[in-house]
Amino acid sequence: MTKDTRVRDAEETIETESETVDDERHVCPECGGNLASDEAHAETVCTDCGLVVEADAIDRGPEWRAFDAGEKDEKSRVGAPTTNMMHDKGLSTTIGWQNRDAYGKTLSSTQRQKMQRLRTWDERFRTRNSRERNLKQALGEIDRMASALGLPDDVRETASVIYRRALDEDLLPGRSIEAIATASLYAAARQVGTPRSLDEFAEVTRVDEMEFKRAYRYVVRELSLEVQPADPESYVGRFASDLGLSEEAEHRARELLRTAKSTALHSGKNPVGLAAAAVYAAGLLTNEKVTQAEVGEVADVSEVTIRNRYQELLEADGAAGATA
């Protein structure tokens, strides 16, 4: 008998024994009937004679219930989800900065030095090449600016994806990391529908405003991003909230802007200035006193712009009312 034949016979014997064991697990030892699991009572019962073969079975599933995929992901506790907002997508681990052991006791000086060396090497291994170092710096810059502007997580996630695409398309040579990161965040805010004005971005970015604008046009053109013109209505809620206006005033401001859009009054005009003027006009129409200076400070536009635009909005609203 050859060696291959002996090996094949041994494998067949193992498979036969495992099948026999599996059959015994699913067959009642009393009558040979089929076994069924009763999860409600944690028992394994014979469906023919009713013999309880196994009791107090261990439930290895979660203690919570979920009725859809979103709820299941929210309740799951198997670790943080992957995210594009980190250069390694959150898959790596980090050594904590606390110099304490698992029992909360302070480490000795020797152990602290050892942990500091381990942190240094851990940081070096997490960013092993220039691409990862680039991503780490850019995504940190995106997170910093998004926090300063109060942008939600979906905008940060979208900006991270746009920056990764720009890096893959080799758009960075000749341009600074900060400029492309700012352009990615501005484009993401426009795409998601929570835009911020150019002046607001100019206050938080670390590059010149003209450099940022050139980078934005370049990224949109090269990546073929679909960025719609900013809607003045998307600024109304934030301005009204900062000024403490009521829902009635906010609703009236949106009506003024819809009327302006129906007559193409918004074409070629700064959406931020138009939204600020609508909020100011709505405050007057609802007897909620706000000054042009207060609105201009919140919206970061001049009082002259507000005066010019709010007169145009009122004229368009009056003309629409007369027509109706």
Side-chain angles (χ1 to χ4, degrees):
M1 183 181 292
T2 62
K3 181 178 179 181
D4 294 339
T5 305
R6 290 196 300 270
V7 171
R8 186 163 55 251
D9 292 342
E11 291 177 349
E12 291 176 355
T13 302
I14 293 172
E15 291 178 359
T16 304
E17 291 177 353
S18 63
E19 291 175 357
T20 303
V21 172
D22 292 339
D23 291 339
E24 291 177 353
R25 289 176 180 173
H26 295 86
V27 174
C28 176
E30 188 71 24
C31 67
N34 295 325
L35 300 179
S37 297
D38 185 359
E39 296 180 357
H41 298 89
E43 295 175 345
T44 302
V45 185
C46 176
T47 57
D48 295 335
C49 66
L51 176 68
V52 179
V53 179
E54 184 181 0
D56 299 329
I58 298 175
D59 184 5
R60 303 185 183 277
E63 82 284 1
W64 42 263
R65 294 191 303 168
F67 300 98
D68 54 36
E71 189 175 359
K72 181 179 179 182
D73 293 338
E74 182 180 350
K75 291 184 176 180
S76 180
R77 298 190 298 272
V78 294
T82 58
T83 173
N84 285 300
M85 292 187 288
M86 300 180 68
H87 71 281
D88 52 8
K89 296 191 175 182
L91 296 175
S92 64
T93 57
T94 57
I95 300 175
W97 57 269
Q98 298 93 343
N99 289 317
R100 296 181 180 275
D101 60 13
Y103 300 98
K105 297 179 180 179
T106 305
L107 299 178
S108 63
S109 60
T110 304
Q111 289 294 329
R112 285 200 299 270
Q113 293 176 0
K114 180 179 179 180
M115 294 305 299
Q116 188 58 41
R117 288 197 299 271
L118 288 174
R119 290 190 192 99
T120 302
W121 280 107
D122 179 61
E123 186 66 21
R124 290 174 181 174
F125 278 119
R126 289 181 65 200
T127 54
R128 288 173 292 180
N129 53 46
S130 59
R131 173 187 168 83
E132 292 183 354
R133 287 192 294 271
N134 185 311
L135 269 177
K136 184 177 180 182
Q137 180 182 347
L139 298 181
E141 190 71 8
I142 288 174
D143 189 61
R144 180 191 66 82
M145 291 186 293
S147 298
L149 293 169
L151 294 172
D153 287 341
D154 56 345
V155 175
R156 306 180 192 206
E157 193 83 25
T158 305
S160 303
V161 172
I162 293 174
Y163 187 87
R164 288 176 184 272
R165 286 186 57 195
L167 189 60
D168 292 337
E169 296 290 336
D170 201 24
L171 302 184
L172 266 74
R175 291 168 179 82
S176 66
I177 295 175
E178 289 80 3
I180 301 297
T182 308
S184 301
L185 185 60
Y186 181 70
R190 293 274 296 272
Q191 283 186 328
V192 174
T194 55
R196 297 293 186 268
S197 65
L198 290 171
D199 294 333
E200 290 177 292
F201 268 89
E203 291 179 359
V204 299
T205 186
R206 292 175 177 170
V207 296
D208 182 71
E209 185 176 352
M210 290 304 299
E211 181 182 358
F212 149 55
K213 291 179 180 179
R214 284 196 296 267
Y216 169 71
R217 289 192 293 267
Y218 178 68
V219 168
V220 170
R221 183 178 67 252
E222 294 297 323
L223 298 181
S224 301
L225 299 179
E226 295 183 1
V227 181
Q228 299 294 330
D231 188 355
E233 278 193 60
S234 59
Y235 297 94
V236 170
R238 184 159 56 93
F239 294 166
S241 176
D242 292 342
L243 291 167
L245 297 177
S246 64
E247 292 185 6
E248 181 186 1
E250 181 180 343
H251 181 70
R252 191 72 180 89
R254 294 182 186 278
E255 287 182 345
L256 290 172
L257 290 174
R258 293 191 187 107
T259 303
K261 285 189 287 187
S262 65
T263 58
L265 179 65
H266 69 298
S267 179
K269 294 181 174 61
N270 182 8
V272 179
L274 206 59
V279 170
Y280 175 70
L284 296 180
L285 294 174
T286 57
N287 295 321
E288 298 183 37
K289 298 298 182 181
V290 288
T291 64
Q292 294 178 2
E294 290 173 339
V295 178
E297 184 178 357
V298 168
D300 198 16
V301 295
S302 67
E303 297 179 32
V304 177
T305 300
I306 295 175
R307 281 197 295 272
N308 294 337
R309 297 293 173 264
Y310 108 88
Q311 291 287 355
E312 296 173 355
L313 288 173
L314 291 179
E315 291 174 3
D317 185 63
T323 303

